[in-house]
Amino acid sequence: MASVTQFGYLGLSVSDINAWERFATQTLGLQISGREDDGTLLLRTDEYHHRFLVHPTGKDDLAYIGWEVIGEHELRAMADQLRAAGVEVRQGTPEEARARGVVDVMMFKDPSGNPSEIFYGPLMAFNAPFQSPRPISGFVAGAQGLGHMVVTMDDFETSVNFYRDVLGMRISDYVEVERPPGNRFRLAFFHCNPRHHTIAFYAKSNPPKRLNHFMLQTNSVDDVGATFYLCQDQGVPITRGIGRHTNDHMMSFYMVTPSGFEVEYGWGGRVVDDATWQVQYHQSGSMWGHRPLNR
């Protein structure tokens, strides 16, 4: 079957585009790669022209998820798989493809209604290498994609079946966590390239936001430590301090964005070899740390 190859880009709908520009550049260390006439802010992390499209449309949540495939044949095969599964697929217009910075794109919704897109042919910027406005070493992206995201879904099993059997992703592991005390739930973690997971999700009725967090992986552990203290200096709320996860071994911390969802800022993520990987099960989210901090 055809499958997506990476988390190519993330569309965000925000209410305060100026706060997001400051946060993205001065805290996260993302580089501005452009601004659209409608106020959309384009942000990059690597050789791709952009990985984030931040729209000033006021929802403070996920706008859409962009999944990449290798080329035209794979895009058509993915459309066939989606339609065979009963999913309505809409071909993107040339104007929409141009706005995303891709050769071609199609639109659909996952079983929970999360707007999703599949594309091929991303705009590249090798002629202007990534340069962070902060003194950091950069991000692990490229063929591993933007990073990862955790999203709330309406139904757990339906979502597992969709991302595995329709989009062609592979299960890395399951994690059960208790947060807050007395509220235990299960997350499924999926990969589509060597990054341990590209998307993870759990089920929740009427979530206030679909996007729980997205993750940026830095090239150096020093970037994580420096950013942790920078957040304190800047007054950026930190929800969970530095720790190391059980499943992907990422050393990271969590901060709050101007839209209220979180960013995980990490280093040292585990990679997956599909030839040898076996699905795992964890009953704790962290080996150590990730303790809540006073906000």
Side-chain angles (χ1 to χ4, degrees):
M1 66 181 298
S3 63
V4 298
T5 58
Q6 64 162 282
F7 177 18
Y9 55 74
L10 178 62
L12 300 173
S13 172
V14 310
S15 58
D16 190 338
I17 195 71
N18 293 325
W20 259 96
E21 180 176 339
R22 292 190 298 271
F23 175 74
T25 57
Q26 298 174 23
T27 304
L28 300 181
L30 305 181
Q31 180 183 355
I32 296 173
S33 57
R35 293 180 177 85
E36 300 299 316
D37 292 340
D38 63 359
T40 297
L41 181 66
L42 306 179
L43 301 165
R44 65 183 295 196
T45 64
D46 63 350
E47 66 270 19
Y48 279 53
H49 180 266
H50 56 270
R51 292 289 194 174
F52 293 89
L53 300 94
V54 186
H55 303 279
T57 47
K59 294 182 180 179
D60 285 321
D61 202 355
L62 173 72
Y64 48 82
I65 304 166
W67 298 108
E68 186 173 348
V69 293
I70 295 171
E72 181 179 1
H73 294 299
E74 290 75 17
L75 185 67
R76 304 300 165 226
M78 289 300 309
D80 291 342
Q81 286 173 196
L82 286 161
R83 292 188 176 108
V87 178
E88 181 179 348
V89 178
R90 181 178 68 81
Q91 175 62 46
T93 66
E95 292 75 21
E96 287 171 325
R98 192 174 304 112
R100 298 291 190 264
V102 301
V103 172
D104 201 1
V105 63
M106 63 183 187
M107 285 75 171
F108 64 98
K109 292 183 179 179
D110 76 4
S112 297
N114 294 309
S116 304
E117 305 177 358
I118 298 180
F119 71 93
Y120 79 91
L123 177 63
M124 308 301 286
F126 289 108
N127 57 311
F130 171 76
Q131 185 172 359
S132 174
R134 286 189 52 217
I136 60 173
S137 61
F139 301 97
V140 177
Q144 290 191 31
L146 183 161
H148 77 234
M149 60 189 149
V150 173
V151 182
T152 56
M153 300 293 186
D154 295 336
D155 183 84
F156 188 79
E157 292 301 331
T158 300
S159 299
V160 167
N161 293 340
F162 178 79
Y163 281 87
R164 180 189 60 205
D165 302 334
V166 181
L167 294 191
M169 302 180 75
R170 283 84 69 193
I171 297 173
S172 301
D173 42 45
Y174 296 95
V175 178
E176 284 191 357
V177 297
E178 189 172 6
R179 192 181 304 131
N183 179 37
R184 195 161 190 85
F185 58 95
R186 175 176 286 195
L187 298 95
F189 292 76
F190 282 82
H191 66 274
C192 58
N193 56 54
R195 189 185 292 279
H196 174 272
H197 63 277
T198 292
I199 186 170
F201 51 77
Y202 59 97
K204 184 175 183 179
S205 299
N206 300 315
K209 296 181 186 295
R210 283 295 183 181
L211 183 59
N212 176 279
H213 74 262
F214 65 81
M215 186 280 302
L216 295 171
Q217 182 176 346
T218 64
N219 289 323
S220 168
V221 67
D222 292 331
D223 297 334
V224 176
T227 304
F228 179 75
Y229 289 104
L230 177 65
C231 286
Q232 296 179 57
D233 293 341
Q234 293 178 340
V236 174
I238 296 173
T239 53
R240 283 182 279 168
I242 293 177
R244 186 180 287 274
H245 281 303
T246 53
N247 61 343
D248 69 350
H249 297 180
M250 186 79 70
M251 194 171 83
S252 62
F253 74 97
Y254 292 76
M255 70 184 89
V256 181
T257 71
S259 291
F261 52 80
E262 298 178 3
V263 175
E264 180 183 6
Y265 208 78
W267 168 84
R270 201 176 184 186
V271 295
V272 170
D273 180 353
D274 279 315
T276 58
W277 186 262
Q278 298 182 36
V279 176
Q280 300 178 356
Y281 170 48
H282 304 270
Q283 290 188 326
S284 175
S286 302
M287 301 180 195
W288 56 266
H290 288 141
R291 293 178 178 176
L293 298 186
N294 294 328
R295 295 171 61 181

